[in-house]
């Protein structure tokens, strides 16, 4: 009998698995841009523990294994900054990224009063861009991080409520 993937809030016990998964998943992004110093690959355990304590971190689990993760934090203006969405390569293409994104949006709205969601991804990251557009995000600008052009996308929290 197969196991199903569950999504829930992360806790301190998940930190090492999240960081290992993040490191695995962001290798392809680093290769795409020829930059292995991107933030997800240089983040420390202490940095991740701080994010866990100060924001919203969700994980997807297959049994005891963390196979997906995403995090967000709401600023004083009500903008939820979502980032580090990653799904284990063997589970990509099955809708888990969309489920994680919807879960973090829901929690950021319900528990942190998010008014809008904001995220960034690399301009060459076509799979990410497709997911975010399908999820209702619209382009709001671009920015540069060393060698990488980042695309900023946003949607209103009210849009999430309509689709949920």
């Amino acid at each position: 009998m197969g196991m199903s993937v569950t999504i829930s809030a992360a806790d301190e016990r998940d930190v090492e698995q999240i960081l290992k998964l993040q490191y695995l998943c962001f290798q392809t992004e680093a290769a795409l841009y020829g930059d292995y110093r991107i933030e997800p690959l240089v983040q420390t355990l202490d940095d991740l523990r701080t994010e866990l304590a100060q924001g919203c971190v969700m994980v997807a689990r297959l049994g005891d294994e963390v196979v997906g993760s995403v995090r967000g934090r709401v600023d004083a203006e009500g903008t939820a900054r979502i980032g580090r969405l990653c799904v284990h390569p063997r589970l990509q293409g099955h809708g888990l990224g969309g489920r994680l994104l919807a879960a973090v949006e829901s929690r950021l709205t319900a528990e942190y009063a998010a008014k809008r969601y904001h995220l960034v991804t690399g301009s060459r990251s076509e799979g990410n861009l497709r997911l975010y557009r399908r999820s209702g995000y619209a382009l709001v600008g671009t920015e540069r991080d060393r060698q990488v052009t980042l695309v900023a996308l946003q949607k209103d929290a009210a849009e999430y409520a309509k689709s949920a």
Side-chain angles (χ1 to χ4, degrees), residues 3-33:
M3 289 184 280
S4 61
V5 175
T6 59
I7 297 176
S8 61
D11 64 38
E12 176 60 34
R13 296 172 300 200
D14 299 318
V15 173
E16 286 187 34
Q17 281 194 70
I18 292 169
L19 197 61
K20 287 176 184 175
L21 176 67
Q22 177 178 301
Y23 188 79
L24 172 68
C25 292
F26 280 89
Q27 293 293 318
T28 54
E29 289 292 301
L32 186 60
Y33 298 99

Side-chain angles (χ1 to χ4, degrees), residues 74-93:
V74 179
D75 65 21
E77 290 79 40
T79 300
R81 307 228 175 246
I82 297 172
R84 308 278 163 83
L85 175 61
C86 59
V87 173
H88 194 288
R90 76 176 187 271
L91 296 175
Q92 291 176 3

Side-chain angles (χ1 to χ4, degrees), residues 93-160:
H94 299 285
L96 188 52
R99 287 179 56 202
L100 277 164
L101 185 58
V104 78
E105 289 172 351
S106 176
R107 188 161 170 230
L108 289 166
T109 300
E111 296 179 28
Y112 299 88
K115 296 177 184 167
R116 72 200 63 78
Y117 312 115
H118 180 91
L119 49 80
V120 296
T121 192
S123 62
R124 297 181 199 160
S125 303
E126 288 302 320
N128 297 350
L129 290 167
R130 273 192 306 277
L131 169 64
Y132 300 143
R133 286 185 189 120
R134 262 195 327 264
S135 299
Y137 285 81
L139 176 71
V140 293
T142 59
E143 52 193 74
R144 194 103 172 121
D145 181 16
R146 293 183 332 274
Q147 301 175 35
V148 181
T149 299
L150 298 172
V151 177
L153 301 115
Q154 193 165 295
K155 79 174 181 180
D156 288 333
E159 289 299 312
Y160 171 77

